[in-house]
């Protein structure tokens, strides 16, 4: 995932990107998934603040008026959201929102590729899901993605490229409609350039992958916080070597279910604060569960693609002194969205508040600064740090 600013992309593309969990991650976090409980009543607006409750009412009113006039409530809601100035707001059709929920369950429609944008603007494949159409076609990590259905990808935001891969614009954002259709990719590996025509499929993905390094370090790569992520992390920790040296790799993880992120924090903490947040001005808190592993030497890897729930987890482990954070500054998406169902079944997501780390740091628009800066050699840096934190003998 690139660190491009989704607020500068067309709203339809941004909405498609939010649905593209496996590739570009979830750009809205929290209440859309039930992770943040909805406030019982909106709080009174503080001086100088934008009124979240008022934005919801304006969108609902616009949708209702459009429906009464025989016009599209969804389009009216989109116009109202656009005028709200809410960077993370989005409007989903009923089918799109259902697909969003499927994505959070770890199901998606696509060809099985993860991608990122290189500094020179080229799009590079960063992971291929085993058994996917892309895997069956022999596409590999590191291959350059030059085009999608004849449309060049260089310099385009990753979210836009992924929307092309999924066929969002062609199939109305419906996963069922896109499944079974074909997409032609222009690829390059070294001096070889070729095309592959793949058939999109409904796929499931494991959000956690585990590998052991030659020196015994366990690397847990968490690609997104879908349902079951925390359980998978705990299961991996139970089978880790006795010395327990662990890398939690959150690079490119752009969020998902906040509840899963909190439960993942609970695997490394013995209770205590994970984050605070506000909903319509009402302050709330998220706490870790008891009896986590508090002695395991731990490093967290982050980069500009680490967003939202992944930043919440990183901030908690860093502030609580539980992990050394290595990499580059995270994206800076620390806002809370709430869903509003519109008369035609579509759903509007609007920002209602922001969360803070246990020490009170604001993440939104700022990101999290790692303890140690590192680029491509971040994992090697992590191994060096872990050698000093744990005794492998």
């Amino acid at each position: 995932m690139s660190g491009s600013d989704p607020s500068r992309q067309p709203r339809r593309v941004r909405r498609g990107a939010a649905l593209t969990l496996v590739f570009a991650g979830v750009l809205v976090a929290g209440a859309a998934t039930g992770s943040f409980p909805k406030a019982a009543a909106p709080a009174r607006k503080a001086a100088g603040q934008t009124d979240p409750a008022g934005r919801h009412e304006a969108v609902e009113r616009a949708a209702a008026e459009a429906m009464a006039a025989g016009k599209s409530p969804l389009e009216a809601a989109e116009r109202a959201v656009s005028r709200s100035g809410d960077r993370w707001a989005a409007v989903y059709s009923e089918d799109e929102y259902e697909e969003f929920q499927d994505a959070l369950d770890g199901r998606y429609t696509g060809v099985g590729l993860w991608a990122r944008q290189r500094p020179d603007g080229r799009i590079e494949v960063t992971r291929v899901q085993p058994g996917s159409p892309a895997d069956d076609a022999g596409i590999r990590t590191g291959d350059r993605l030059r085009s999608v259905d004849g449309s060049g990808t260089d310099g385009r935001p990753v979210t836009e490229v992924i929307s092309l891969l999924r066929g969002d614009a062609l199939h109305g954002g419906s996963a069922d409609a896109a499944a079974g259709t074909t997409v032609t990719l222009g690829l390059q590996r070294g001096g070889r350039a070729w095309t592959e025509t793949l058939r999109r499929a409904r796929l499931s993905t494991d959000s956690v992958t585990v590998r052991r390094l030659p020196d015994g370090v366990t690397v847990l790569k968490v690609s997104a916080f879908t349902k079951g992520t925390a359980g998978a992390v705990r299961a991996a920790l139970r089978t880790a070597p006795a010395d327990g040296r662990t890398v939690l790799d959150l690079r490119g993880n752009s969020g998902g279910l906040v509840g899963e992120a909190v439960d993942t924090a609970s695997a490394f903490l013995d209770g205590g604060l994970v984050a605070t947040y506000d909903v319509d001005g009402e302050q709330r808190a998220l706490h870790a569960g008891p009896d986590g592993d508090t002695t395991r030497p731990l490093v967290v890897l982050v980069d500009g693609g680490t967003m939202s729930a992944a930043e919440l987890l990183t901030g908690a482990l860093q502030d609580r002194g539980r992990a050394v954070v290595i990499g580059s500054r995270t994206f800076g998406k620390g806002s809370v969205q709430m869903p509003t169902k519109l008369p035609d079944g579509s759903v509007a997501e609007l920002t209602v508040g922001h969360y803070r780390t246990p020490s009170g740091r604001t993440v939104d628009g700022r990101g999290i600064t790692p303890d140690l800066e590192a680029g491509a050699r971040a994992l090697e840096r992590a191994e060096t740090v872990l050698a000093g934190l744990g005794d492998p003998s």
Side-chain angles (χ1 to χ4, degrees):
M1 163 106 189
S2 73
S4 57
D5 183 354
S7 69
R8 298 183 180 180
Q9 298 164 18
R11 182 163 301 279
R12 289 278 180 179
V13 171
R14 289 170 56 199
R15 185 173 64 190
L19 294 168
T20 313
L21 175 67
V22 175
F23 303 106
V26 179
L27 301 185
V28 292
T33 66
S35 302
F36 286 113
K38 191 170 184 178
R44 192 173 294 176
K45 184 175 75 170
Q49 290 183 346
T50 303
D51 183 0
R55 289 200 301 267
H56 274 277
E57 291 170 0
V59 171
E60 289 179 289
R61 183 169 57 251
E65 290 174 352
M67 192 163 191
K71 300 178 181 179
S72 168
L74 186 147
E75 292 181 3
E78 284 187 328
R79 288 192 294 271
V81 164
S82 182
R83 291 193 297 268
S84 74
D86 188 339
R87 178 186 181 192
W88 294 109
V91 182
Y92 303 89
S93 70
E94 191 170 7
D95 286 343
E96 287 172 336
Y97 200 68
E98 182 178 345
E99 186 180 352
F100 180 35
Q101 299 301 314
D102 283 348
L104 291 168
D105 284 335
R107 302 189 301 271
Y108 69 101
T109 295
V111 296
L113 292 181
W114 282 253
R116 71 180 179 94
Q117 187 177 64
R118 294 173 45 178
D120 62 4
R122 297 182 180 186
I123 302 297
E124 179 180 79
V125 175
T126 57
R127 184 180 167 194
V128 179
Q129 181 173 331
S132 67
D135 184 40
D136 292 343
I139 299 172
R140 302 176 190 169
T141 297
D143 287 347
R144 176 185 171 191
L145 180 59
R146 298 169 57 96
S147 64
V148 179
D149 282 336
S151 180
T153 60
D154 287 359
R156 303 179 78 162
V158 170
T159 50
E160 187 173 334
V161 173
I162 297 309
S163 290
L164 291 173
L165 281 171
R166 291 173 54 88
D168 288 336
L170 297 175
H171 304 287
S174 168
D176 290 336
T181 61
T182 59
V183 58
T184 299
L185 311 184
L187 299 149
Q188 183 173 336
R189 183 183 304 156
R192 176 195 173 205
W194 79 104
T195 61
E196 290 283 354
T197 298
L198 308 179
R199 191 171 296 278
R200 299 179 180 98
R202 292 288 280 167
L203 302 169
S204 297
T205 182
D206 294 326
S207 61
V208 180
T209 55
V210 185
R211 64 186 174 113
R212 307 273 190 261
L213 302 183
D215 60 1
V217 170
T218 299
V219 179
L220 303 181
K221 172 67 176 176
V222 181
S223 59
F225 289 102
T226 55
K227 287 184 180 179
T229 295
V233 168
R234 288 182 181 274
L237 294 178
R238 286 194 294 269
T239 62
D243 75 29
R245 292 172 300 147
T246 301
V247 173
L248 183 62
D249 190 351
L250 300 180
R251 291 176 296 181
N253 181 323
S254 46
L257 291 161
V258 172
E260 291 290 341
V262 173
D263 289 345
T264 300
S266 301
F268 301 102
L269 299 169
D270 185 10
L273 189 64
V274 173
T276 58
Y277 66 101
D278 60 279
V279 175
D280 292 339
E282 180 182 336
Q283 297 300 310
R284 303 183 180 193
L286 299 168
H287 292 89
D291 304 323
D293 186 336
T294 60
T295 60
R296 173 186 305 274
L298 180 65
V299 165
V300 177
L301 298 184
V302 298
D303 63 8
T306 304
M307 300 170 61
S308 195
E311 291 177 286
L312 182 148
L313 172 60
T314 300
L317 296 177
Q318 186 181 51
D319 279 7
R320 298 281 300 276
R322 182 60 190 88
V324 177
V325 179
I326 297 176
S328 54
R329 183 185 293 272
T330 62
F331 186 87
K333 200 284 183 182
S335 57
V336 181
Q337 280 71 45
M338 288 291 183
T340 296
K341 192 167 185 177
L342 303 178
D344 62 344
S346 58
V347 176
E349 285 275 0
L350 295 174
T351 300
V352 296
H354 299 83
Y355 72 80
R356 296 176 180 269
T357 69
S359 68
R361 289 183 293 163
T362 298
V363 175
D364 203 56
R366 300 182 181 181
I368 293 174
T369 302
D371 300 307
L372 297 173
E373 294 281 348
R377 303 176 72 89
L379 183 56
E380 294 179 26
R381 191 80 181 271
E383 289 182 87
T384 301
V385 169
L386 286 170
L389 293 176
D391 180 7
S393 61

